[in-house]
């Protein structure tokens, strides 16, 4: 792993982990109870290893080696996307440059179409005004002619009434006399002359009326023609306006597509749901910016996206709009997600809601209170994520964005932009919001020596993944030691108790030997004394003593064997009780320990017991005693040697003295009895002692087997504890080799 291959390093770590597990599996013992614990322990380590394998593979699949990657990470609605959008504009991100060029092209077309629309609207208004003037003139003329027409009609009507009146008078005169009738025929009546004049006047007026009506009709025709011309022109202009309006609508939609700020949320919800990445090339340095979803949004929807992006990032900028310290819940989340990072910076995005607020700021964006609060937050992050925390920056993103953004006038930001630009120039806004300082720092410091930083950041993520596994295994190792220490203590106590019981057993069988022989002597001597007191001869004495001794020997053997078996049963029961008590004590203490600690191994140890009954050590011990008993019964012929010795003693007595003095004979018989019993009891002691020693050695051998089994359990548990530590050390070695 000394040659650092950007992708092979992940595979090398996985190979080392596989080798480690193979070594662990070669240490499992045969003891079923301990074997189960070992297998579970190794399974746990294997699971840790498997999880680490997956994590390393995941890091490999999500790693970025070609471009230095900066993740903008932070709280919901902290303004991450606003900062990024402004940087895209200032740093000339390729897609943003193209988007803004398209916006400007469309804006020119849009403005030209608006001008065309306004020109036609002006023409339409002018033409309408001209038409209205002509319409009014013609309407006035028609009104005058209509008035004139009405007056002439009134005159004609009056003349017609006059003519009717004159005709009526003429008629009356005609019927009044023949003379008047004749005068009428001759048209000599004054009324007739007057009627002619009136009639002529009427004709004159009718001619005038026709002339007026003709002129009015012509004027009305002119008005109709003007209206028709106006309608035609209006429709023509409306068609042109509609066409231009359609173009304007389409251009407006296109402008909305190309305007800046499309990645910025509406401040009412977590707008960013997926990680977006933006690629930059500044001074031949290639880097990426990742826009992450807010960590306080609908987290289950975005958690995976955030974690994947954090794995890819080489530096993280933690964006906040709150000046208050990070709360505990959020801090735990930040610690979990950012501790693995190489560089983490805090970016305070100061909310500015009005130009007046900026004017009050003058040249200093932060006040003393905000600076102190940022120092405090920085210390909190330092304590949480350690050396990964690298300092803080501050800006006000929204006014910076408004200073440089291309916005369509229907956009939600347009009014704010126009209001802001009344009091500030673009350059002044870029200075006072500190956005220029941020972009300069990113392009001249943050991405400096990016190849080295990429390597350090990516290897740190691998080290961090291994470190977390080391921590988990270390915790389990300590738990294993803590739990097995309890078992070791009780196994040691059990061994010592069994050893003490064996010592007691040896003392007991020695006591059995002494008591049995002592009882034998008392009973046999009493019976022989009874025979001696009967004043029997030596032959009879010899015969009776032999018989009594044989009977006593039989009972001695039966008692001795019975007592040995009882002591053996007692020993095996005591051993069973010790083992049962040891198992119970282990379980009780483990259970207490488990209840009072949050242990990962609680289920593994819950059913541990000192299980050696299946080895039948109890039966082995009883078998040893039984076989020893059989040997004793086979040695019955050996007692003849003792009797023969007694016979020699008796035969050497003075027969004459005994014959003359019966008391003397009894005294000799008692001395012979005592000597005989001394020799017999001594022989029994030697034999029983030898037999006891042999039995003790055989029982001790079985006891040693129990001890070895218990010691084997202890050794196996210790071995697994060592394997935990070896695993931990091996992981550290893998980590250090990166």
């Amino acid at each position: 792993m000394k040659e650092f291959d950007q992708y092979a390093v992940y595979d090398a770590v996985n190979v080392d982990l596989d080798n480690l597990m193979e070594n662990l599996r070669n240490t499992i013992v045969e003891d079923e109870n301990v074997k189960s614990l070992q297998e579970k322990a190794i399974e746990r380590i294997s699971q840790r290893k498997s999880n680490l394998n997956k994590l390393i593979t995941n890091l490999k699949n999500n790693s970025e080696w070609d471009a230095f990657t900066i993740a903008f990470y932070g709280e919901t609605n902290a303004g991450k996307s606003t900062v990024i959008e402004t940087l895209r504009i200032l740093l000339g991100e390729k897609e943003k440059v193209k988007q803004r060029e398209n916006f400007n092209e469309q804006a020119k077309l849009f403005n030209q179409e608006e001008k065309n629309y306004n020109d036609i609207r002006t023409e339409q208004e002018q033409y309408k005004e001209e038409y209205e003037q002509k319409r009014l003139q013609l309407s006035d003329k028609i009104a005058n002619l209509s008035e004139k027409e009405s007056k002439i009609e009134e005159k004609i009507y009056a003349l017609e009434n006059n003519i009717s009146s004159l005709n009526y008078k003429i008629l009356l005169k005609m019927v009044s006399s023949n003379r008047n009738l004749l005068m009428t025929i001759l048209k000599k009546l004054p009324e007739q002359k007057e009627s002619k004049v009136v009639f002529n006047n009427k004709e004159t007026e009718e001619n005038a009326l026709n002339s007026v009506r003709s002129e009015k009709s012509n004027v009305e025709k002119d008005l109709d023609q003007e209206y028709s011309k106006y309608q035609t022109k209006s429709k023509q202009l409306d068609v042109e306006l509609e066409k231009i309006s359609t173009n304007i609508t389409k251009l407006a939609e296109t402008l909305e597509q190309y305007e800046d700020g499309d990645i910025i949320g509406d401040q009412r919800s977590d707008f960013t749901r997926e990680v977006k990445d933006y690629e930059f090339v500044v001074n031949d340095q290639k880097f990426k910016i990742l826009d992450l979803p807010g960590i306080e949004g609908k987290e289950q929807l975005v958690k995976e996206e955030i974690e994947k992006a954090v794995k890819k990032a080489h530096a993280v900028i933690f964006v906040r709009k709150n000046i208050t310290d990070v709360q505990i819940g959020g801090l735990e989340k930040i610690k979990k997600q950012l501790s693995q990072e190489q560089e983490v910076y805090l970016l305070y995005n100061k909310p500015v809601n009005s130009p007046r607020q900026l004017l009050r700021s003058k040249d200093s964006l932060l006040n003393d209170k905000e600076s102190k609060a940022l120092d405090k937050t920085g210390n909190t992050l330092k304590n949480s994520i350690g050396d990964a925390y690298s300092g803080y920056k501050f800006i006000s993103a929204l006014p910076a964005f408004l200073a440089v953004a291309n916005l369509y006038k229907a956009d939600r930001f347009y009014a704010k932009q126009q209001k802001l630009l009344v009091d500030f120039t673009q350059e002044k806004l870029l200075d006072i919001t500190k956005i220029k300082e941020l972009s300069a720092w990113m392009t001249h410091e943050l991405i400096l020596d990016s190849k080295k930083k990429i390597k350090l950041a990516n290897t740190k993520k691998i080290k961090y993944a291994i470190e977390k596994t080391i921590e988990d295994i270390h915790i389990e190792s300590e738990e294993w030691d803590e739990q097995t220490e309890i078992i070791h203590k009780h196994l040691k106590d059990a061994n010592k108790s069994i050893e003490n019981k064996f010592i007691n057993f040896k003392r007991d069988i020695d006591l059995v030997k002494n008591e049995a022989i002592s009882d034998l002597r008392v009973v046999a001597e009493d019976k022989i004394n009874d025979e001696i007191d009967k004043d029997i001869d030596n032959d009879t004495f010899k015969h009776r003593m032999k018989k009594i001794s044989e009977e006593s020997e039989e009972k001695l053997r039966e008692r001795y064997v019975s007592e040995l078996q009882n002591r053996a049963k007692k020993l095996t029961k005591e051993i069973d009780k010790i083992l049962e008590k040891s198992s119970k004590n282990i379980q009780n203490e483990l259970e207490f320990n488990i209840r009072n600690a949050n242990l990962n191994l609680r289920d593994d140890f819950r059913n541990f017991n000192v299980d050696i009954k299946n080895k039948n050590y109890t039966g082995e011990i009883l078998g040893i005693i039984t076989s020893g008993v059989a040997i004793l019964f086979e040695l019955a012929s050996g007692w003849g040697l003792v009797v023969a010795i007694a016979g020699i003693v008796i035969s050497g007595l003075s027969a004459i003295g005994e014959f003359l003095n019966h008391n003397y004979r009894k005294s000799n018989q008692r001395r012979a009895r005592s000597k005989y019993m001394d020799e017999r009891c001594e022989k029994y002691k030697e034999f029983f002692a030898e037999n006891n020693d042999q039995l003790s050695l055989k029982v001790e051998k079985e006891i040693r087997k129990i001890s070895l089994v218990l010691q084997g359990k202890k050794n196996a548990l210790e071995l697994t504890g060592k394997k935990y530590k070896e695993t931990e050390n091996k992981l550290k070695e893998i980590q250090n080799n990166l």
Side-chain angles (χ1 to χ4, degrees):
M1 205 181 294
K2 293 182 180 179
E3 288 287 332
F4 190 90
D5 182 346
Q6 59 188 36
Y7 291 112
V9 64
Y10 301 101
D11 298 329
V13 171
N14 281 338
V15 168
D16 282 343
L17 292 173
D18 291 338
N19 293 337
L20 170 61
M21 286 312 304
E22 186 63 30
N23 177 263
L24 282 175
R25 290 192 177 94
N26 291 332
T27 62
I28 296 178
V29 299
E30 291 300 321
D31 186 294
E32 289 298 327
N33 203 248
V34 178
K35 180 180 180 182
S36 174
L37 280 177
Q38 284 187 311
E39 288 176 341
K40 288 176 181 177
I42 291 175
E43 179 58 32
R44 284 183 174 279
I45 297 174
S46 177
Q47 187 60 50
R48 301 286 186 196
K49 174 260 178 189
S50 178
N51 292 339
L52 182 56
N53 277 136
K54 290 177 183 177
L55 188 54
I56 297 297
T57 301
N58 189 263
L59 285 173
K60 176 183 177 181
N61 294 337
N62 289 288
S63 64
E64 174 63 66
W65 290 90
D66 297 328
F68 189 79
T69 303
I70 308 160
F72 274 70
Y73 167 100
E75 299 162 347
T76 303
N77 294 328
K80 300 183 297 297
S81 298
T82 307
V83 179
I84 292 170
E85 185 75 345
T86 309
L87 291 173
R88 291 176 70 200
I89 296 169
L90 292 177
L91 299 179
E93 186 245 342
K94 186 176 179 180
E95 289 185 5
K96 178 55 67 176
V97 169
K98 185 177 180 181
Q99 177 185 344
R100 287 170 67 83
E101 288 175 352
N102 289 334
F103 181 91
N104 292 331
E105 290 176 6
Q106 295 300 312
K108 287 180 182 178
L109 296 175
F110 180 85
N111 292 335
Q112 183 60 50
E113 286 297 283
E114 275 201 329
K115 182 178 182 303
N116 293 340
Y117 185 88
N118 292 331
D119 288 346
I120 292 174
R121 286 291 296 170
T122 300
E123 181 184 354
Q124 194 178 45
E125 291 298 323
Q126 289 175 347
Y127 190 77
K128 182 179 180 181
E129 186 178 346
E130 291 173 2
Y131 164 72
E132 284 296 323
Q133 289 176 354
K134 289 180 180 180
R135 185 185 67 77
L136 289 173
Q137 290 173 358
L138 291 173
S139 295
D140 288 345
K141 194 171 184 180
I142 290 171
N144 291 334
L145 289 172
S146 295
E147 185 179 356
K148 191 175 182 180
E149 180 183 22
S150 296
K151 289 179 178 179
I152 293 173
E153 285 176 343
E154 288 177 359
K155 287 180 180 181
I156 292 173
Y157 180 74
L159 290 172
E160 286 178 344
N161 286 337
N162 194 9
I163 290 171
S164 295
S165 177
L166 290 172
N167 285 337
Y168 181 70
K169 289 178 180 180
I170 291 171
L171 180 60
L172 290 176
K173 284 185 176 185
M174 283 177 65
V175 296
S176 64
S177 67
N178 289 329
R179 184 179 178 274
N180 286 338
L181 178 62
L182 182 61
M183 288 292 290
T184 303
I185 295 171
L186 293 175
K187 300 182 179 178
K188 295 296 186 176
L189 290 174
E191 288 83 359
Q192 287 180 308
K193 291 179 180 179
E194 185 181 354
S195 175
K196 186 176 180 180
V197 172
V198 172
F199 185 80
N200 288 335
N201 289 338
K202 177 191 170 191
E203 285 185 341
T204 300
E205 291 297 326
E206 286 178 341
N207 289 333
L209 179 62
N210 289 333
S211 176
V212 169
R213 284 178 173 172
S214 176
E215 184 180 358
K216 178 183 174 183
S217 176
N218 289 334
V219 174
E220 286 177 339
K221 287 180 181 178
D222 289 343
L223 181 60
D224 288 342
Q225 287 177 353
E226 288 298 328
Y227 178 73
S228 178
K229 285 168 61 179
Y230 170 72
Q231 287 288 86
T232 300
K233 184 69 172 178
S234 293
K235 287 180 180 178
Q236 178 186 347
L237 293 177
D238 283 341
V239 169
E240 291 183 32
L241 284 175
E242 185 177 356
K243 182 179 179 181
I244 293 172
S245 180
T246 300
N247 289 339
I248 288 174
T249 301
K250 290 180 179 178
L251 288 169
E253 291 174 354
T254 306
L255 272 178
E256 288 178 359
Q257 292 177 2
Y258 292 135
E259 71 175 346
D260 296 319
D262 56 309
I263 69 171
I264 300 174
D266 59 8
Q267 305 300 316
R268 291 174 297 176
S269 62
D270 187 12
F271 183 76
T272 304
R273 292 291 179 82
E274 296 179 353
V275 175
K276 301 175 183 177
D277 63 278
Y278 306 98
E279 190 171 301
F280 299 82
V281 178
V282 178
N283 299 327
D284 296 326
Q285 288 270 41
K286 183 179 178 182
F287 66 97
K288 287 182 180 180
I289 287 178
L290 305 181
D291 187 5
L292 275 62
I295 61 173
E296 294 176 348
K298 296 181 179 178
E299 192 174 354
Q300 293 306 316
L301 299 176
V302 298
K303 181 180 178 183
E304 186 176 343
E305 289 290 318
I306 291 174
E307 290 180 350
K308 188 186 295 183
V310 167
K311 287 184 177 72
K312 185 175 289 188
H314 307 120
V316 173
I317 296 179
F318 176 30
V319 184
R320 299 190 78 221
K321 68 176 181 180
N322 297 316
I323 204 66
T324 55
D325 206 357
V326 186
Q327 299 303 307
I328 293 176
L331 198 61
E332 287 301 316
K333 193 182 301 180
I334 291 164
K335 181 178 180 180
K336 181 179 179 182
Q337 293 176 335
L338 300 186
S339 295
Q340 61 185 300
E341 293 305 314
Q342 182 72 12
E343 297 177 87
V344 177
Y345 298 89
L346 172 64
L347 177 62
Y348 171 52
N349 178 24
K350 181 173 181 175
V352 172
N353 299 315
S354 67
R356 185 178 301 173
Q357 191 175 352
L358 273 181
L359 287 169
R360 286 199 302 268
S361 300
K362 296 182 180 180
D363 294 328
S364 178
L365 188 61
L366 295 187
N367 56 41
D368 290 341
K369 181 180 178 181
E370 289 169 328
S371 296
K372 290 178 181 177
L374 281 177
D375 288 336
K376 183 179 179 182
T377 302
N379 289 333
T380 300
L381 290 174
K382 179 76 173 176
N383 293 333
S384 177
I385 61 176
D387 293 338
Y389 177 69
S390 305
Y392 70 80
K393 307 289 178 183
F394 56 90
I395 60 166
S396 183
L398 183 58
F401 166 73
L402 295 176
V404 295
N406 284 337
L407 298 174
Y408 172 55
K409 58 187 177 183
D411 186 88
R412 66 190 189 278
F413 293 121
Y414 184 78
K416 290 183 179 180
Q417 183 187 56
Q418 298 308 305
K419 188 176 181 181
L420 196 63
L421 292 175
V422 170
D423 298 306
F424 298 94
T425 64
Q426 184 184 80
E427 280 302 312
K428 183 63 175 176
L429 283 172
L430 293 178
D431 285 336
I432 199 170
T433 58
K434 304 300 180 185
I435 193 70
K436 290 177 84 174
E437 289 184 18
L438 179 69
S439 61
W441 167 75
M442 288 178 63
T443 54
H444 292 85
E445 295 183 40
L446 183 59
I447 65 173
L448 189 66
D449 201 7
S450 60
K451 292 287 185 185
K452 181 179 179 181
K453 283 190 172 185
I454 288 171
K455 177 182 176 181
L456 289 174
N458 285 342
T459 52
K460 183 175 181 181
K461 293 177 194 294
I462 303 174
K463 287 183 177 182
Y464 180 80
I466 297 173
E467 179 65 33
K468 296 304 291 180
T469 304
I470 290 172
E471 288 177 6
D472 291 338
I473 289 177
H474 180 74
I475 290 170
E476 285 190 7
S477 175
E478 289 186 334
E479 290 178 11
W480 181 275
D481 289 346
E482 183 179 350
Q483 301 300 84
T484 55
E485 182 59 33
I486 293 170
I487 296 173
H488 292 169
K489 178 182 69 175
H490 289 289
L491 290 179
K492 182 179 179 181
D493 290 346
N495 253 331
K496 187 163 185 63
S497 295
I498 291 172
E499 184 178 342
N500 289 336
K501 293 301 179 184
F502 174 65
I503 292 171
N504 291 339
F505 170 76
K506 289 200 299 182
R507 187 168 55 246
D508 284 351
I509 63 174
D510 190 54
L511 186 60
V512 166
K513 172 198 73 175
N514 293 333
E515 287 180 350
I517 293 172
S518 176
D519 289 347
L520 166 69
R521 185 183 192 106
V522 171
V523 172
E525 284 185 348
D526 285 346
K527 289 182 178 181
I528 294 172
N529 284 339
D530 289 342
E531 294 299 324
I532 292 173
D533 289 341
K534 293 178 182 179
D535 195 17
I536 59 176
D537 58 42
N538 286 335
D539 289 335
T540 302
F541 167 73
K542 183 177 177 182
H543 174 74
R544 297 281 178 85
M545 187 167 65
K546 180 181 179 183
K547 183 178 180 182
I548 289 170
S549 66
E550 287 176 349
E551 290 174 353
S552 298
E553 289 165 9
E554 181 66 27
K555 290 180 179 180
L556 170 64
R557 290 196 299 273
E558 290 176 358
R559 176 179 177 182
Y560 174 65
V561 169
S562 176
E563 289 295 330
L564 284 181
Q565 289 176 330
N566 289 336
R567 295 300 188 276
K569 289 177 181 178
K570 178 184 176 184
L571 175 62
T572 57
K573 286 180 180 179
E574 287 175 338
I575 291 173
D576 286 343
K577 285 181 180 180
I578 289 169
L579 297 178
E580 288 173 6
K581 182 179 179 182
S582 180
S583 292
K584 187 175 181 180
N585 289 341
I586 288 171
Q587 282 304 304
N588 288 340
E589 191 166 349
L590 286 177
E591 185 63 29
F592 176 81
N593 204 40
I594 288 169
R595 282 201 309 269
N596 290 275
N598 185 21
L599 302 177
N600 293 328
L601 305 178
R602 61 173 68 240
D603 292 329
D604 294 359
F605 281 89
R606 195 178 294 277
N607 297 317
F608 182 86
N609 61 76
V610 185
D611 181 15
I612 60 172
K613 289 183 180 180
N614 58 338
K615 299 298 183 180
N616 199 23
Y617 295 114
T618 300
E620 292 290 339
I621 292 172
L622 291 175
I624 290 168
I625 302 302
T626 301
S627 61
V629 169
I631 292 170
L632 286 176
F633 279 107
E634 290 174 2
L635 293 175
S637 59
W639 303 117
L641 177 61
V642 179
V643 175
I645 294 172
I648 294 171
V649 173
I650 295 170
S651 63
L653 296 176
S654 174
I656 298 173
E658 291 177 353
F659 179 77
L660 295 174
N661 190 339
H662 288 220
N663 288 332
Y664 177 70
R665 183 176 63 199
K666 289 179 181 179
S667 177
N668 283 339
Q669 288 177 350
R670 287 190 178 94
R671 283 197 301 274
R673 176 214 63 198
S674 295
K675 186 176 181 181
Y676 175 66
M677 292 305 296
D678 286 342
E679 291 179 356
R680 285 179 64 220
C681 288
E682 191 59 37
K683 289 293 182 180
Y684 272 118
K685 283 181 181 179
E686 290 176 4
F687 176 74
F688 284 170
E690 182 180 352
N691 190 64
N692 282 1
D693 289 343
Q694 292 176 1
L695 291 177
S696 294
L697 288 173
K698 292 180 180 179
V699 171
E700 185 177 16
K701 185 177 181 181
E702 297 304 317
I703 295 295
R704 293 297 172 215
K705 289 181 181 178
I706 297 174
S707 296
L708 287 174
V709 171
L710 297 181
Q711 185 63 36
K713 290 177 183 287
K714 178 178 180 294
N715 293 342
L717 293 172
E718 287 178 345
L719 179 61
T720 301
K722 289 179 182 178
K723 290 303 174 183
Y724 264 116
K725 291 176 177 59
E726 286 178 13
T727 302
E728 187 178 340
N729 292 333
K730 181 60 180 177
L731 287 173
K732 287 179 181 178
E733 181 184 336
I734 294 172
Q735 187 184 42
N736 292 333
N737 285 338
L738 289 172

